[in-house]
Structure formats: structure tokens, C-alpha cells
Amino acid sequence: MRPEPPSYTGTVPGRPSHTPVHPSPHGPATRRAAVAIALAAAAVLGFGGAVLLLGRQTDDRAVPEPRPTASPPAAGPAAPPPRAPAAPGFLGEGDSGPAVAELQERLLRIPDVYRDGTTSGRYDAALAEAVARFQLWYGVQGDETGVYGDDTRRALESRTG
């Protein structure tokens, strides 16, 4: 003899006896799935927002990329364009000297910003990345990313004395 399936009719305290009792369509598995979907959606939105924030250019003084011309390309490898001298008080990749060494020493005082950095006095790609990391982590705006300008200098000096 087979057991009878559970009946979905009956009495529930507080309900009239003629009201059928149905199982909840929102069982534990449905709730777990809804939470998982909500977390996945939040993660996708958060990642998308981070990508948009990291991809935006915060320098108002940036020069737009030149548009391609119809002229034929120059023969042979092109020499890199000469770097414009940095404005007074600004340091960027390619600079060197005691001011760069001082910048390196200050960045070494901020945990994890200039990991394994040197105080060589040369503004190389590793130092530009450290400056950009400091600007991002501490919300420095107004200077080009990776360039040690007035706003970055004030923020770094206020944290390193």
C-alpha cells in the first residue's frame, strides 16, 4: 500500500476552513537563487562602474588625439616626439635630479604605493605608476595621471610631513 500524497487542503489557524493550504512558491531554494542573482548583478554593476571610473580622463588640460590625415605615412621608424619641458614645480617621466629623489623618498613612506622603489633620482615608468597609484588611492585631482604636479605635491607632503 502506497502512502497518500500530502493534502493541500485543511485548516490553518486563523483561516477559514474552506481556504486551501498551498506550499509557498518562495521556498529556500528560490530565495537562495534570488540572493545569488542579486549578488551577481551587484558585482557586475560594481565592476562596470570601476572600469568607467578608471577609464575616464580627469585632466582638463589634456590635448585631444590628432586626427589621422590623408597623407601617406613617413618612411622609416619615426623618432619619438621631443618631450616638452615640465612646467616649474611639475615632474614627469624622463625627469631626474634631487627633486625626483625627494619624491621617491616620500612615496616610500606611504605603505604599498611605491613597492620596492628606489631613490635613484630618475623619474621612470615605475615611479610614474606609483604617483598614479597615490593619486588614485588618495583622490588627487587636477594633475595629469602619473605626473607630480602641485595638487599631488600638496597631498603627498600633507601625508609625509
Side-chain angles (χ1 to χ4, degrees):
M1 181 171 204
R2 292 181 27 188
E4 288 190 29
S7 170
Y8 295 113
T9 59
T11 60
V12 174
R15 284 193 176 169
S17 63
H18 66 279
T19 305
V21 179
H22 296 282
S24 172
H26 306 293
T30 305
R31 279 179 275 192
R32 279 193 298 270
V35 169
I37 290 170
L39 287 174
V44 168
L45 288 174
F47 180 73
V51 168
L52 289 174
L53 286 176
L54 292 177
R56 73 177 181 163
Q57 192 171 14
T58 59
D59 186 12
D60 294 337
R61 299 170 295 192
V63 178
E65 293 282 332
R67 292 188 176 175
T69 61
S71 62
R83 190 168 102 67
F90 283 74
L91 297 173
E93 199 167 343
D95 289 335
S96 62
V100 175
E102 180 187 345
L103 165 62
Q104 291 168 324
E105 289 169 7
R106 286 183 182 274
L107 284 173
L108 284 169
R109 294 183 214 160
I110 306 290
D112 296 325
V113 169
Y114 190 40
R115 289 180 224 106
D116 304 322
T118 65
T119 55
S120 64
R122 288 190 328 266
Y123 205 118
D124 57 7
L127 181 58
E129 289 173 13
V131 170
R133 190 176 302 116
F134 176 81
Q135 291 168 330
L136 177 67
W137 288 1
Y138 292 94
V140 178
Q141 296 181 349
D143 292 333
E144 185 178 338
T145 301
V147 173
Y148 189 58
D150 292 333
D151 294 329
T152 307
R153 181 183 311 275
R154 279 191 290 276
L156 183 59
E157 287 177 353
S158 72
R159 286 169 177 79
T160 57

